[in-house]
């Protein structure tokens, strides 16, 4: 049974998708995380082993896999790409292998033809391609200097609103009680202690994002301002890349929990983008990153 395989290696799980030469799904399963920066090498090595073992279990095993594309964050770092490649080879896979950035497989699965994918999850980035397949990107430089409009940025802005309201710099906000409840604290100093603890990471800050949806339902002024800021920043990413790639028309696929779950942000992003680029087709992604990785694998085997 000849097939190709695409992996979407994320910070919490890795989706493995195997398809035949016609693109029909033969097998689909999820295993552990593949982001070395998030979980460490031992965990990643275990995830790779489990993913390859799943391929071994298919009819024809590894010998029938004509190409494997793995999408994961940080592949531009040769140590990351070299480690994952080495793990795959050590597990017995000797066929065609290519590592792609997570944004690249997202783009491959999300749009047809020229266009871009706007990703807003824990981080944010916009990447796309022009009519000739030339790629470009905007954003995605990490939470310390970038990632505006992301879950991390929204969580940070929620905390900022709470401390500003406590100082009287902005009116009181319902976000204060919500943050206190979620973190199990009762004062600003306790929030600061939690935030600057070595055990608190960007995912912990991003986990505050669902509070924004609750506050928006209550028409909270601070929540509206945070949502507007996020939409403005995300639309800037898309419009900047649109100009860089000299696109007149094409699809802008919206990916990630911020854009798929928050209608207020999603609709404002759409309005801001189409105001500058009327022929931009803002829509949900056509397919998943794992499907994009499998599509790239099909192209690689040809």
């Amino acid at each position: 049974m000849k097939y190709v395989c695409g992996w979407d290696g994320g910070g919490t799980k890795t989706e493995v998708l195997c398809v035949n030469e016609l693109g029909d799904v033969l097998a689909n399963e999820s295993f552990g995380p593949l982001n070395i920066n998030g979980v460490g090498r031992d965990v990643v090595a275990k995830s790779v082993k489990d993913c390859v073992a799943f391929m071994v279990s298919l009819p024809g095993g590894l010998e029938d896999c004509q190409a494997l594309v793995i999408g994961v964050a940080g592949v531009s770092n040769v140590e990351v790409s070299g480690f994952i490649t080495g793990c795959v080879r050590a597990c017995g896979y000797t066929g065609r292998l290519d590592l792609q950035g997570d944004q690249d497989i997202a783009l491959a699965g999300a749009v047809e033809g020229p266009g871009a994918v706007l990703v807003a999850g824990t981080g944010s980035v916009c990447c796309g391609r022009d009519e000739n397949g030339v790629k470009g990107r905007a954003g995605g430089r990490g939470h310390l200097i970038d990632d505006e409009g992301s879950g991390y940025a929204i969580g940070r802005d929620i905390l900022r609103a709470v401390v500003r309201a406590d100082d009287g710099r902005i009116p009181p906000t319902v976000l204060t009680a919500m943050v206190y409840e979620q973190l199990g604290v009762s004062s600003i100093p306790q929030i600061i202690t939690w935030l600057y603890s070595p055990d608190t990471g960007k995912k912990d800050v991003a986990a505050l994002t669902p509070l924004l949806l609750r506050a928006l339902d209550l028409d909270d002024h601070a929540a509206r301002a945070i949502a507007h800021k996020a939409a403005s920043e995300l639309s800037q990413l898309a419009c900047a890349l649109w100009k860089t790639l000299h696109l007149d028309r094409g699809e802008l696929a919206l990916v990630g929990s911020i854009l798929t779950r928050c209608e207020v942000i999603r609709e404002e992003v759409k309005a801001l983008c189409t105001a500058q680029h009327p022929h931009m087709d803002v829509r949900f992604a056509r397919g998943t990153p794992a499907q994009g990785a499998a599509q790239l694998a099909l192209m690689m085997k040809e």
Side-chain angles (χ1 to χ4, degrees):
M1 180 187 69
K2 300 297 183 182
Y3 69 95
V4 300
C5 196
W7 296 8
D8 173 20
T12 57
K13 66 182 178 68
T14 298
E15 181 181 358
V16 178
L17 179 65
C18 301
V19 303
N20 64 19
E21 294 178 341
L22 299 177
D24 301 322
V25 176
L26 300 176
N28 189 201
E29 190 56 82
S30 293
F31 299 95
L34 213 64
N35 190 328
I36 290 177
N37 294 326
V39 296
R41 296 194 172 205
D42 290 344
V43 175
V44 168
K46 173 65 164 55
S47 298
V48 170
K49 184 177 180 180
D50 292 341
C51 292
V52 175
F54 176 68
M55 295 168 61
V56 170
S57 72
L58 300 176
L62 295 181
E63 292 76 14
D64 275 5
C65 182
Q66 297 179 296
L68 169 60
V69 170
I70 301 174
V72 65
V75 294
S76 57
N77 183 328
V78 294
E79 291 189 5
V80 172
S81 58
F83 178 76
I84 294 176
T85 298
C87 288
V88 173
R89 297 303 190 194
C91 289
Y93 179 72
T94 59
R96 293 174 179 154
L97 172 63
D98 186 30
L99 267 62
Q100 295 275 341
D102 51 356
Q103 72 274 6
D104 293 314
I105 63 169
L107 175 63
V111 303
E112 290 182 356
V117 57
L118 178 60
V119 183
T122 302
S124 64
V125 67
C126 187
C127 59
R129 58 176 176 249
D130 65 13
E131 292 86 349
N132 299 314
V134 176
K135 292 182 179 180
R137 64 175 283 170
R141 268 71 180 192
H143 71 288
L144 292 180
I145 60 172
D146 201 6
D147 283 356
E148 296 299 330
S150 68
Y152 173 83
I154 290 173
R156 178 201 61 206
D157 287 347
I158 288 173
L159 294 173
R160 178 180 290 153
V162 170
V163 298
R164 287 168 63 85
D166 185 73
D167 288 342
R169 286 181 279 170
I170 63 173
T173 168
V174 299
L175 289 167
T176 299
M178 292 179 180
V179 168
Y180 281 3
E181 179 183 10
Q182 179 156 324
L183 298 184
V185 302
S186 57
S187 68
I188 296 300
Q190 287 177 308
I191 289 179
I192 301 305
T193 298
W194 171 83
L195 180 61
Y196 290 101
S197 166
D199 296 328
T200 301
K202 64 180 182 180
K203 289 183 179 179
D204 300 302
V205 175
L208 296 170
T209 299
L211 301 181
L212 180 69
L213 300 181
R214 291 169 51 193
L216 286 171
D217 287 340
L218 297 173
D219 199 29
D220 181 73
H221 71 95
R224 292 197 309 272
I226 292 170
H228 174 71
K229 178 184 176 184
S232 177
E233 294 285 357
L234 291 170
S235 65
Q236 286 179 39
L237 288 178
C239 291
L241 183 59
W242 220 252
K243 292 177 181 177
T244 298
L245 294 176
H246 305 290
L247 291 173
D248 175 56
R249 60 187 66 242
E251 297 175 353
L252 176 69
L254 305 181
V255 174
S257 59
I258 305 304
L259 291 165
T260 58
R261 298 179 185 175
C262 185
E263 183 179 5
V264 172
I265 294 177
R266 180 173 66 248
E267 291 304 312
E268 186 168 359
V269 166
K270 182 176 181 179
L272 291 170
C273 287
T274 54
Q276 293 190 49
H277 302 282
H279 300 300
M280 182 188 290
D281 179 14
V282 184
R283 52 172 296 148
F284 289 121
R286 291 180 177 271
T288 66
Q291 289 173 324
Q295 290 177 22
L296 293 173
L298 282 171
M299 296 170 60
M300 196 169 97
K301 80 171 187 64
E302 295 174 353

